[in-house]
Amino acid sequence: MYSIKKASELLGIPTVTIRAWENRYQIINPIRGNGGHRLYSDADIDTLKWIKTQIDENKMKVSEAVWLLKQRSLKKPIKAVERTQVGKPYDDLIERLFGHLVDLNTFQSHEIIDLAFALYHYDDVFHHILVPVLYQMGEEWERGNVTVAQEHFSSQLVMQRITQFFRVLPIHPDLPKVLALCPEGEHHHMGLMLFSLFLRKKGVDVIYLGPNTPLSDLKLVIEQKQISVVAVSVTDHGLIEALEHWIDECRVKYPNLKFVLGGTGFQHCLSHISTYVQPDDQNSWEMWYKMDIMGAKPSFV
């Protein structure tokens, strides 16, 4: 056990700050020794060290680091108990979350997602729980088993949870800026959201415009925000021709502007813009990131 003075020395955190974090965020729970003095365990020290690392190295605010800590939850006993109750990884959580979403149960749906973040890394939650749930919801909607209201409720709730991470992940200003969108007429943006989250984890500043975005006004955004890369997701093949024309115009005006495209709409694309298409897997995204985005320049240069 460590006194608050010793904890302060080990961590390089003032004692007043340790008390403030304890009282305001309840992230540690020291015991009281003789005379009522605080005594900190190794687990308390690890928690404080983790918070300090996020602040110093990842440039987070303390409130953002605490939020991320609670989302990740390192409570191993909970993890062990839950996993013994699950036959296959993720399946039980997917089934329970799907049921609550269909029943439009906001509170219970968030509870299941909170539990998922406590059990797994947030990347695993996104790719192995939330995305499969939304795909299942879409399939059931196509079969007529789920209403439009249920599908919209599910999409909005899940997207809300994913976009929370955009706020807490730090941005590195020396990296290129990315504009992410689905063109007008395209309403499916889960793939775009996950790709944007991949970039945000790298510290990239992503301006996320989302679905159904008109292309006509984007050149002004590219100039004003000094965009280096445009990411576009399309599932409707019928939208590709207009997108192709817009990309060609942008390449003439901004020779250094890079494009990255994704989505099922490009599966049988024979256009020259198909060279910008990336497969929907993180290994391909990593290769693209290393080869393209690290050397990207502002489009107006």
Side-chain angles (χ1 to χ4, degrees):
M1 303 300 289
Y2 306 88
S3 67
I4 191 169
K5 182 179 179 181
K6 185 61 176 179
S8 175
E9 293 173 354
L10 289 172
L11 298 166
I13 303 174
T15 57
V16 65
T17 301
I18 294 176
R19 291 193 188 96
W21 290 357
E22 175 190 336
N23 294 330
R24 182 168 184 178
Y25 300 110
Q26 292 84 49
I27 55 174
I28 52 176
N29 187 28
I31 65 173
R32 298 283 179 168
N34 295 333
H37 299 296
R38 290 175 171 85
L39 293 175
Y40 297 86
S41 67
D42 288 330
D44 292 330
I45 297 298
D46 289 342
T47 297
L48 292 170
K49 184 178 180 180
W50 190 90
I51 294 291
K52 187 174 187 292
T53 298
Q54 307 314 306
I55 295 171
D56 293 345
E57 297 182 8
N58 296 329
K59 310 304 179 186
M60 288 187 181
K61 297 177 181 178
V62 61
S63 59
E64 294 171 342
V66 169
W67 184 88
L68 189 58
L69 175 68
K70 291 180 178 179
Q71 291 299 310
R72 291 168 60 99
S73 182
L74 301 178
K75 297 180 180 178
K76 295 182 180 178
I78 294 179
K79 186 173 183 178
V81 170
E82 286 293 333
R83 282 190 171 172
T84 62
Q85 298 173 357
V86 181
K88 294 182 179 180
Y90 317 119
D91 287 357
D92 180 65
L93 291 174
I94 291 173
E95 181 179 353
R96 291 159 64 185
L97 177 58
F98 182 83
H100 285 308
L101 290 172
V102 167
D103 290 338
L104 306 182
N105 294 332
T106 301
F107 179 79
Q108 291 88 340
S109 297
H110 281 300
E111 273 195 329
I112 295 299
I113 295 175
D114 288 340
L115 175 60
F117 282 127
L119 298 179
Y120 304 106
H121 188 275
Y122 62 83
D123 262 347
D124 293 328
V125 176
F126 294 146
H127 289 277
H128 300 303
I129 296 176
L130 300 186
V131 171
V133 162
L134 289 188
Y135 280 147
Q136 182 180 353
M137 193 69 65
E139 291 172 354
E140 292 300 314
W141 173 77
E142 290 178 356
R143 297 188 184 106
N145 298 326
V146 167
T147 66
V148 173
Q150 290 168 318
E151 193 275 334
H152 283 191
F153 170 82
S154 304
S155 298
Q156 290 304 313
L157 187 144
V158 170
M159 285 295 182
Q160 179 188 37
R161 295 305 298 259
I162 294 177
T163 54
Q164 288 177 333
F165 281 80
F166 273 65
R167 181 176 58 83
V168 301
L169 292 170
I171 291 173
H172 300 305
D174 55 324
L175 291 176
K177 288 185 180 180
V178 175
L179 187 67
L181 62 108
C182 296
E184 192 169 14
E186 179 61 66
H187 298 275
H188 301 283
H189 62 124
M190 174 56 80
L192 181 73
M193 174 66 76
L194 292 176
F195 183 71
S196 299
L197 184 65
F198 163 79
L199 293 176
R200 286 291 291 108
K201 289 187 295 180
K202 300 288 188 182
V204 176
D205 185 1
V206 180
I207 300 175
Y208 191 84
L209 301 183
N212 200 32
T213 301
L215 300 174
S216 56
D217 298 329
L218 295 183
K219 293 176 184 176
L220 182 61
V221 177
I222 291 170
E223 293 182 8
Q224 289 182 340
K225 304 306 293 185
Q226 302 180 15
I227 300 299
S228 299
V229 181
V230 177
V232 184
S233 180
V234 176
T235 63
D236 184 354
H237 183 78
L239 301 174
I240 292 179
E241 183 177 356
L243 177 63
E244 178 184 359
H245 292 318
W246 181 77
I247 289 177
D248 288 343
E249 291 175 359
C250 289
R251 291 306 305 269
V252 171
K253 190 168 185 179
Y254 313 111
N256 293 321
L257 185 63
K258 293 180 179 290
F259 292 88
V260 56
L261 310 177
T264 57
F266 294 103
Q267 283 182 349
H268 305 292
C269 178
L270 300 178
S271 166
H272 63 277
I273 66 172
S274 63
T275 58
Y276 303 134
V277 176
Q278 290 295 319
D280 185 18
D281 67 84
Q282 295 211 38
N283 289 333
S284 298
W285 294 354
E286 288 284 356
M287 291 180 61
W288 168 84
Y289 178 82
K290 292 176 181 178
M291 294 177 62
D292 281 11
I293 199 169
M294 295 304 293
K297 298 179 180 179
S299 58
F300 52 84
V301 173

